[in-house]
Amino acid sequence: MSFSRVHVRSLSIANRVTILKLGLKDRSPVVKAVVQEKLIPSWITAMEGSLFNLLRGLDVEGCSDIAKQVLEVWFKTLNYKEVTSQLEMGAENLLAIEIIKPETALY
C-alpha cells in the first residue's frame, strides 16, 4: 500500500490531525493497524525521517492529544536506545535548554 500520492506536507495541520484522529479511533482494527503500521511511519519518512518534524507538523502545542498518540504508537516500535538516540543529551544525560522546543518536551 502506498501513501505517496499525497505528500504529508501538502496537507494542512488540521487535515493531518483529522486523518490521524479518525484513523486511530476507528472501530475497525484493520484501519487502526494501517494508520499505526503504515501511515505514521510513512509520514515520518516523508518528514526527512524525523519524528520531531512530524510532531512540529501536527502543532504539538495546539494538538497535544494526537501528538501523544503518535508518540505512543511510534515508541512501541523502538527500543530504549533508539528512543534516547533521538535526543541530543549532554554528559549528564540532560538536554540543553537551548534545544528544548514543544515537540522535544513532549517527546
Side-chain angles (χ1 to χ4, degrees), residues 52-106:
F52 294 114
N53 286 346
L54 177 58
L55 292 175
R56 207 171 294 119
L58 295 175
D59 183 24
V60 169
E61 293 178 83
C63 303
S64 61
D65 57 330
I66 196 65
K68 286 179 194 174
Q69 290 177 27
V70 168
L71 279 174
E72 289 170 4
V73 166
W74 192 243
F75 285 162
K76 288 178 186 175
T77 69
L78 304 174
N79 63 43
Y80 174 77
K81 287 188 180 201
E82 291 170 318
V83 170
T84 57
S85 72
Q86 300 290 315
L87 300 170
E88 296 177 30
M89 299 230 201
E92 297 177 3
N93 288 332
L94 298 173
L95 295 173
I97 193 75
E98 300 83 35
I99 68 163
I100 297 179
K101 296 182 172 64
E103 51 279 349
T104 311
L106 181 65

